[in-house]
Amino acid sequence: TVWGIIHAFSGISASGITDISAIAPGIAEALITTLLGLIVAIPSLIFHNILYTLYKETILVFSQINFYVSNSK
């Protein structure tokens, strides 16, 4: 994303004109890298939440087993 913005400002400085055609390629590049980052981040977050939920449920089950075993006589 940063690279695309740098590219956009480089286009402005190279052409000396603040026309949209000078900055559009850099902005498009920034948006593409942002999209790719979101494509990676969103499934990773979902997978993390699933694993964390399974972890918490496992801890709860082991805690209950520990309670029953330590209180049985």
Side-chain angles (χ1 to χ4, degrees), residues 32-48:
I32 289 170
T33 56
T34 301
L35 174 66
L36 293 176
L38 289 172
I39 288 171
V40 170
I42 291 171
S44 297
L45 182 63
I46 292 169
F47 185 65
H48 171 269

Side-chain angles (χ1 to χ4, degrees), residues 1-72:
T1 301
V2 174
W3 183 257
I5 298 299
I6 291 170
H7 189 268
F9 285 114
S10 295
I12 292 173
S13 66
S15 68
I17 303 171
T18 57
D19 188 17
I20 191 70
S21 63
I23 62 171
I27 300 297
E29 186 178 343
L31 291 174
I32 289 170
T33 56
T34 301
L35 174 66
L36 293 176
L38 289 172
I39 288 171
V40 170
I42 291 171
S44 297
L45 182 63
I46 292 169
F47 185 65
H48 171 269
N49 286 336
I50 290 169
L51 285 179
Y52 186 71
T53 300
L54 290 174
Y55 165 77
K56 294 298 275 185
E57 289 174 356
T58 303
I59 294 298
L60 179 64
V61 167
F62 280 117
S63 175
Q64 290 171 343
I65 291 170
N66 183 32
F67 177 78
Y68 291 124
V69 168
S70 62
N71 288 328
S72 65

